[in-house]
Amino acid sequence: MAKIKKGDLVQVIAGRDKGLQGRVLEVDTKRDRVVVEGVQRVKKHTKVGRTDRGAATGGIETVEAPIHVSNVALVGPDKKPIRVGFREVEVERDGRKKIMRERIGRRAGEEIEL
């Protein structure tokens, strides 16, 4: 189970965009990177081409680049960054007991429900 998931509100804790908050748009678990809305914006030069209707496309676009997952922290209910941990919970499904992991936030030794 990942600590940061798509749709989470995160804050950048290191790098040139330190302090900015945004929603996670994409998670790449193989490279340990996330794409955050409004963070790590870079210029991308695209070749000029034509669409089906004949309109010219291309030029310079501004897109979000991936940022390493260690440089972001999950934002808690009070809009401050928190660490993420897991708690094992026993759940009963279809008459069977199953142990599942649920995400919890931690700050200064106390647990925060996400």
Side-chain angles (χ1 to χ4, degrees):
M1 179 179 275
K3 292 186 177 187
I4 305 288
K5 296 180 177 181
K6 182 178 177 180
D8 285 344
L9 183 64
V10 295
Q11 180 172 341
V12 179
I13 57 174
R16 70 174 193 203
D17 295 322
K18 184 176 180 177
L20 292 181
Q21 291 185 357
R23 294 247 172 240
V24 175
L25 300 175
E26 193 178 319
V27 179
D28 184 2
T29 55
K30 290 183 180 177
R31 296 190 310 148
D32 288 334
R33 299 204 171 256
V34 292
V35 177
V36 182
E37 183 179 25
V39 175
Q40 191 74 15
R41 297 187 57 93
V42 294
K43 300 281 186 183
K44 181 178 179 183
H45 297 260
T46 57
K47 188 174 182 179
V48 176
R50 296 242 176 231
T51 61
D52 294 338
R53 291 190 223 146
T57 60
I60 301 172
E61 299 175 350
T62 305
V63 295
E64 286 97 359
I67 186 171
H68 198 271
V69 73
S70 67
N71 293 333
V72 296
L74 192 68
V75 174
D78 57 351
K79 303 297 182 200
K80 292 183 180 178
I82 57 174
R83 292 175 185 249
V84 180
F86 295 97
R87 173 176 44 204
E88 290 186 353
V89 180
E90 195 171 290
V91 179
E92 189 170 332
R93 287 192 180 168
D94 301 330
R96 298 180 299 165
K97 290 184 179 178
K98 185 176 182 181
I99 295 176
M100 297 186 69
R101 295 172 66 189
E102 72 175 16
R103 276 192 323 174
I104 56 169
R106 295 177 188 231
R107 184 181 304 125
E110 64 184 58
E111 292 184 359
I112 302 168
E113 288 295 324
L114 299 178

